[in-house]
Amino acid sequence: MSALLLPLTLSALLAGAPDETRWYDRASCQKGMEAVLSADMDEAERRIKPLEASGDVEDQACGVWLRAALAETQIAVGGRLPALMENRERVLLRMFKFAKVNGPKGQHLADLEIEARMRRVRALVDKGDKGDALKEVNRTKDLLAQRKGAPGTPTQKYVSGIVNGAAANSGFPMRVVLGLAGLSGDSEEGRRHLMEVAKGTSVYRYDAMYVLHHFSRENRSEENGAPVDYSKTLFDRFPTNPQFTYDLAVDLYEAKRCKDSLAVLTDARKRLETEPQSWSSTVRAKLYYITGQCSAEVGDKVTAKRYAELAKAQGFEELEDPIDDLIERL
């Protein structure tokens, strides 16, 4: 072969070489994750569909995972509507089947079964179905036990972090079912796994950070860190996600930094002014409530009363008492 042709031949071979990057580290998957966590539903669809249609199993794995992540975001933003809850069930079943079919091709693909089962536990707890949730917990526990001591994947560490952390944290909804399955949880191991994932580069890093934020609020300690550190990172990265906006606003309020909290709420408040039906009534109630609380703290009682009444009108039962307390103080 001519020496002049050799570089061209090598370039052609390299150009056609398959991408061996695992799904959770691929740039295309990262872009999809960013769209999902930004609560940009249209952009998320645009990113997910080509991955689902790809002939590459790693792309397909990403498509399956993004569908599950999108289903959770749709519920968080749109509320627990029956259609959204049913969609979550469908995409989790799809993730489970994908893992079963493609697991023999790699442990990182097989580990999606653990995640599908863990996510289904949360879905069943939301429905109040403790019986089936307990069955899924036991299966998840067995799968994690089989993986203990072996090289971990971000998927396995993410699930281990949630299961161990949830079992050891009193405020986590899954805790009761995990306790029934005999899991007391190793909070140190859970935190270590989640920290490792959060500091990594996989698509799981922000999900892990969100869970760490929850644990840091439920159990205040030096080990768990300050809640505001997590919520600020998530808000700065995804300012259009209303849940991240609310989390940071609450953390700043609790740190007696209401001026900063109101500044964080600025864009969300502007959107609600022009599009009052944005997001779900639950999300609106939370944003209105914390705006009212901080407005009262800075001495703006007129604004505080307005937002407290807006919060009350959303009919969110979990905040009913705090909202009533705020109204009475005004």
Side-chain angles (χ1 to χ4, degrees), residues 39-321:
D40 187 339
M41 308 307 177
D42 292 339
E43 178 65 9
E45 283 291 339
R46 193 178 75 80
R47 294 285 181 181
I48 293 171
K49 285 180 178 178
L51 296 168
E52 293 176 320
S54 172
D56 187 325
V57 70
E58 301 291 340
D59 282 346
Q60 293 168 14
C62 177
V64 165
W65 184 83
L66 286 173
R67 278 291 172 203
L70 180 60
E72 295 284 2
T73 299
Q74 288 170 328
I75 290 170
V77 172
R80 294 184 178 183
L81 301 175
L84 296 180
M85 303 289 274
E86 290 167 11
N87 176 62
R88 177 169 62 177
E89 288 279 352
R90 284 195 299 272
V91 298
L92 291 180
L93 178 60
R94 182 181 168 203
M95 180 186 283
F96 170 78
K97 289 180 176 179
F98 178 89
K100 283 295 190 185
V101 171
N102 295 285
K105 299 174 185 175
Q107 185 63 57
H108 66 294
L109 300 174
D111 280 349
L112 284 169
E113 178 184 351
I114 312 178
E115 182 173 357
R117 291 192 181 281
M118 182 274 295
R119 285 181 180 267
R120 187 158 186 262
V121 173
R122 290 192 290 181
L124 290 166
V125 168
D126 284 347
K127 289 170 59 177
D129 189 345
K130 289 184 181 178
D132 283 343
L134 181 58
K135 292 176 185 177
E136 288 290 17
V137 166
N138 283 319
R139 292 169 184 143
T140 303
K141 181 174 67 171
D142 290 344
L143 288 169
L144 286 173
Q146 292 170 22
R147 296 283 285 112
K148 200 168 183 68
T153 63
T155 307
Q156 176 259 328
K157 291 175 182 177
Y158 171 69
V159 175
S160 172
I162 290 179
V163 170
N164 277 290
N169 282 268
S170 59
F172 211 73
M174 287 171 57
R175 184 175 184 266
V176 173
V177 177
L178 293 169
L180 290 172
L183 280 169
S184 58
D186 184 334
S187 58
E188 184 176 344
E189 180 176 338
R191 181 170 54 249
R192 176 170 55 81
H193 278 164
L194 287 170
M195 285 286 192
E196 186 175 339
V197 175
K199 291 177 180 178
T201 58
S202 78
V203 294
Y204 288 98
R205 63 189 183 278
Y206 295 115
D207 275 24
M209 197 175 298
Y210 184 73
V211 177
L212 284 166
H213 172 260
H214 182 90
F215 292 158
S216 72
R217 297 201 69 191
E218 290 298 324
N219 290 280
R220 308 278 175 149
S221 67
E222 185 177 344
E223 293 79 12
N224 282 337
V228 72
D229 292 339
Y230 299 115
S231 56
K232 187 175 187 310
T233 299
L234 290 168
F235 172 79
D236 287 348
R237 186 66 186 81
F238 305 105
T240 57
N241 186 314
Q243 183 61 50
F244 296 158
T245 300
Y246 174 73
D247 288 338
L248 178 56
V250 169
D251 290 340
L252 290 169
Y253 162 73
E254 292 181 350
K256 302 187 184 305
R257 295 170 56 189
C258 269
K259 287 184 179 179
D260 292 333
S261 181
L262 290 169
V264 164
L265 289 160
T266 299
D267 287 345
R269 290 169 61 187
K270 286 180 180 177
R271 175 166 172 173
L272 287 170
E273 289 288 341
T274 57
E275 302 174 51
Q277 295 305 308
S278 292
W279 308 308
S280 67
S281 58
T282 298
V283 170
R284 294 194 299 270
K286 292 193 291 187
L287 292 171
Y288 286 143
Y289 167 69
I290 193 60
T291 300
Q293 279 282 25
C294 269
S295 295
E297 287 293 322
V298 299
D300 186 351
K301 290 190 176 183
V302 173
T303 300
K305 184 176 181 180
R306 175 170 173 256
Y307 277 95
E309 289 173 349
L310 283 168
K312 179 76 173 176
Q314 307 308 310
F316 182 40
E317 290 186 9
E318 289 183 27
L319 279 179
E320 186 174 349
D321 289 342

Side-chain angles (χ1 to χ4, degrees), residues 8-28:
L8 295 175
T9 305
L10 286 174
S11 296
L13 287 171
L14 289 172
D19 183 358
E20 295 184 357
T21 308
R22 291 184 172 180
W23 69 267
Y24 41 72
D25 284 325
R26 290 192 171 188
S28 55

